[in-house]
Amino acid sequence: MALMDFIKKQFIDIIEWTEAGDGTLAWRYPMQDLEIQNGASLTVRESQMAVFVNEGKVADVFGPGRYTLTTATLPVLTYLQNWDKLFKSPFKSDVYFFSTRQQVDQRWGTTQPVTIRDKDFGAVRLRAFGNYAYRIADPKLFHTEISGTRDSYTVAELDGQLRATMLQHISDAVASSGIAFLDLAANQIEFASQLQQATSPAFEKLGLKLEAVTVQNVSLPEELQKILDQKIGMGMVGGDMGKFMQYQTAQAIPKFAEGAAGAGGGGGVVGDAMGLGAGVALGQVMAQQLSQGLQGGAAQAAAAAAAPVGVKPDEVMATLEKLAELKSKGIVTQEEFEAKKAELLKKLV
């Protein structure tokens, strides 16, 4: 009985792989000290492919189905072994199974902002993240390029390489899409399509097929988002510098009043008085600016026809410094800055 058990252990008559769970891309059938019996059965299930490797070389590739292993079903291996027709002796060969089903919900995202060229803002640093799905399309290429002779190869082991490949092509995708940054949020499907097209060739070189890409979010770093908010605020007032300054003043009043109250000890009568005084003073300034900004077109025409009102040099310098800061942030163009500077210089006392 022991002799029969020993003989049975030496020869394999059924070769198959039942996946125990998710996440395995390649699995080698255990062949140590075993030989495949002539006429053995090979079962390759749907969403699988099998590869026979003989002496380090890929011999035969099998798609889904049930095969009886003979010289007819192993033509390349038969040629490599120089067997006569209808070989009868057992043979040794490594058998690898590959999962060809989609590996879904794979995450990609920028750990650091990626610099791209934008037609509206010039150079922009953006963040983006989303999902992608892929499958093994060429098991022979995947075996030679990635998995090799390992007992198994998992999705987690390939994740870092594929994630980096996705990020590497973000700039190419934005450039090829021709979509401005401000329009990316409304065109995420088109952006995802361009990212898939840009990245697919790199996946194909590994024997993979990139099945789908989704973009869930596109955003700017916090400091750039603040500048964008300022530019949007200026656009809301029609690009008028005076109205934009009024808008900035209105936004600053609550913070300034809170700061003044905090400087008075963080509370109490003195702090409240300082906060109230700051609020009243700034409220008067805002009321004056709003009154000027709400004047109609007739008033603006009359003001333009009137003689220029003189201003003090230090006021001009303060205004120019503010304009220069706005220009450095891209909110004001060089032409707008020069025009405003010339206007201010004419008003010097």
Side-chain angles (χ1 to χ4, degrees), residues 132-209:
Y132 67 98
Y134 69 93
R135 71 168 78 240
I136 294 178
D138 187 339
K140 178 179 179 180
L141 183 59
F142 185 82
H143 171 77
T144 56
E145 295 292 331
I146 300 296
S147 59
T149 60
R150 298 176 55 171
D151 291 337
S152 66
Y153 198 90
T154 64
V155 170
E157 293 174 288
L158 193 57
D159 178 70
Q161 174 66 28
L162 298 184
R163 188 193 301 263
T165 302
M166 296 290 295
L167 299 182
Q168 184 180 3
H169 292 85
I170 286 181
S171 298
D172 298 336
V174 174
S176 60
S177 69
I179 303 173
F181 171 77
L182 290 179
D183 299 325
L184 279 178
N187 292 273
Q188 290 186 359
I189 294 179
E190 177 61 25
F191 178 35
S193 176
Q194 294 296 332
L195 182 56
Q196 181 176 355
Q197 292 180 27
T199 313
S200 289
F203 275 64
E204 292 172 1
K205 292 179 180 179
L206 303 179
L208 305 174
K209 181 181 179 182

Side-chain angles (χ1 to χ4, degrees), residues 3-16:
L3 178 60
M4 291 301 299
D5 291 339
F6 174 77
I7 294 175
K8 288 181 180 179
K9 289 181 181 179
Q10 303 308 301
F11 305 107
I12 302 172
D13 57 0
I14 298 177
I15 303 173
E16 61 181 352

Side-chain angles (χ1 to χ4, degrees), residues 227-280:
I227 297 175
L228 177 61
D229 291 341
Q230 289 181 333
K231 191 173 183 70
I232 293 174
M234 192 170 180
M236 293 173 63
V237 296
D240 185 288
M241 182 58 65
K243 291 183 179 179
F244 180 70
M245 296 300 292
Q246 295 166 14
Y247 168 80
Q248 291 284 75
T249 302
Q251 294 293 315
I253 285 177
K255 295 181 180 180
F256 189 84
E258 290 174 4
V269 178
V270 176
D272 293 341
M274 292 187 66
L276 178 61
V280 170

Side-chain angles (χ1 to χ4, degrees), residues 16-19 43-49 63-65 97 100:
E16 61 181 352
W17 177 39
T18 302
E19 297 180 57
T43 301
V44 183
R45 292 175 170 80
E46 292 289 346
S47 77
Q48 292 180 354
M49 293 190 77
F97 285 89
T100 58

Side-chain angles (χ1 to χ4, degrees), residues 242-320:
K243 291 183 179 179
F244 180 70
M245 296 300 292
Q246 295 166 14
Y247 168 80
Q248 291 284 75
T249 302
Q251 294 293 315
I253 285 177
K255 295 181 180 180
F256 189 84
E258 290 174 4
V269 178
V270 176
D272 293 341
M274 292 187 66
L276 178 61
V280 170
L282 281 173
Q284 293 173 348
V285 173
M286 186 189 76
Q288 183 179 5
Q289 290 184 338
L290 289 176
S291 175
Q292 295 173 355
L294 293 175
Q295 292 178 0
Q300 293 179 355
V309 179
V311 293
K312 296 180 181 180
D314 55 346
E315 295 177 351
V316 172
M317 291 302 300
T319 304
L320 287 176

